[in-house]
Amino acid sequence: MSDYNLVQFRKDLEQLPVILNQEQEEKFILYYELLVQWNEVMNLTAITEFNEVLKKHFIDSLSLIRAVPELEEKKLSLIDVGTGAGFPGIPLKIAYPGLKVTLLDSLNKRIKFLNEVIDKLGLEDIEAVHGRAEDYAKPSLFREKYDICVSRAVANLSTLSEYCLPFVRVGGQFISYKSEKIEEEAAAAEKAIHILGGDVKDKKDFYLPDSDIHRILYVIEKKSVTPKKYPRKAGLPAKEPIVK
């Protein structure tokens, strides 16, 4: 811990606000070290400098608190679709130990990394699952079992909604992390969101603390059960998104 300067990280956390104890801070440090170590042999992230990882991965992930202030009080279930190196799911689990978390990713190498992180950090009530959203959204698996679905994956909002809304129980939320203004994309996704049983509840537009890094959280509430035909078979949601 003494090798790392956490002054800015702590300041950023205050602005969210997120409160961490020393053990949680140590878990973030270990997560960073594992990320850099594994990144030498596989492509997990282009961002490896310590302060940049803290800001652009950890603080960015934790900014979900702006859209879901009840993260701290309630024991919620959350699935992170297309989690990659574990963002935002693992930072959220470290900060909010009461969360029940599923990390879903289609690349098995990343699942091995995530399992190593889970083991080394001693995280409980969290699982890393190798698979595609189209397959795991089936009724016999994870369909409509979660309070919250999150994704930082790079895809248009219509495609992401088809991947993510089937996992959310009625009354729950799908929250998409976006890095720029996407008014046209959001407008085009309205049809898909409606068909899939969702409704845009809110849009949190902000900059990460002490930075010019723009972020938007699209908060989509699940109003009704997703029709059985969605998500369509593998590849179709990306190739042929449901648009107006």
Side-chain angles (χ1 to χ4, degrees):
M1 287 285 287
S2 59
D3 295 337
Y4 297 99
N5 185 338
L6 297 178
V7 172
Q8 185 61 51
F9 184 50
R10 289 167 179 157
K11 188 178 173 185
D12 290 352
L13 289 167
E14 279 181 23
Q15 291 186 54
L16 286 177
V18 173
I19 298 168
L20 301 180
N21 58 33
Q22 185 178 335
E23 182 185 353
Q24 288 168 309
E25 286 186 353
E26 288 171 356
K27 285 180 178 179
F28 274 109
I29 297 297
L30 181 52
Y31 184 17
Y32 167 74
E33 291 177 342
L34 289 167
L35 179 70
V36 172
Q37 178 187 325
W38 279 67
N39 204 58
E40 292 178 1
V41 293
M42 62 183 287
N43 182 27
L44 290 168
T45 177
I47 300 166
T48 55
E49 194 274 322
F50 180 65
N51 287 318
E52 282 202 56
V53 170
L54 294 187
K55 181 86 75 178
K56 295 179 180 178
H57 284 324
F58 296 170
I59 293 296
D60 186 37
S61 294
L62 295 174
S63 67
L64 185 70
I65 192 67
R66 294 177 182 263
V68 193
E70 62 269 27
L71 274 174
E72 200 155 16
E73 307 97 60
K74 294 184 180 177
K75 288 201 169 184
L76 300 170
S77 57
L78 177 146
I79 183 167
D80 178 2
V81 172
T83 187
F87 308 122
I90 289 179
L92 289 167
K93 179 62 184 179
I94 296 171
Y96 303 105
L99 272 181
K100 182 177 182 180
V101 175
T102 299
L103 307 169
L104 182 64
D105 199 87
S106 61
L107 194 62
N108 200 40
K109 286 193 297 184
R110 288 197 286 256
I111 297 300
K112 289 179 181 177
F113 164 72
L114 296 170
N115 280 325
E116 173 89 348
V117 172
I118 290 166
D119 180 57
K120 289 287 175 66
L121 271 59
L123 302 177
E124 297 178 350
D125 223 3
I126 179 171
E127 61 178 345
V129 177
H130 173 226
R132 301 177 68 102
E134 299 97 323
D135 297 325
Y136 273 85
K138 291 175 181 174
S140 59
L141 295 168
F142 297 162
R143 193 176 189 87
E144 295 182 334
K145 288 189 175 178
Y146 295 89
D147 298 308
I148 302 170
C149 178
V150 291
S151 184
R152 279 175 94 223
V154 179
N156 70 67
L157 193 57
S158 176
T159 298
L160 281 176
S161 295
E162 187 169 351
Y163 286 144
C164 294
L165 274 169
F167 291 107
V168 182
R169 65 167 180 80
V170 174
Q173 297 176 329
F174 160 47
I175 298 164
S176 175
Y177 288 65
K178 290 290 184 178
S179 59
E180 65 256 345
K181 293 184 183 295
I182 56 159
E183 279 84 358
E184 285 184 23
E185 180 185 317
E190 285 178 6
K191 179 180 178 182
I193 291 167
H194 177 72
I195 287 173
L196 295 159
D199 183 49
V200 178
K201 177 186 174 186
D202 202 357
K203 185 180 79 167
K204 299 293 183 182
D205 196 322
F206 57 94
Y207 289 87
L208 296 184
D210 288 343
S211 80
D212 59 358
I213 303 167
H214 184 246
R215 290 288 183 265
I216 301 176
L217 296 175
Y218 278 91
V219 183
I220 299 167
E221 187 171 1
K222 185 75 169 278
K223 294 283 195 179
S224 59
V225 170
T226 300
K228 290 180 181 178
K229 66 182 281 189
Y230 300 106
R232 292 166 291 166
K233 65 181 182 180
L236 269 182
K239 286 179 189 172
E240 300 174 17
I242 305 164
V243 292
K244 283 185 175 180

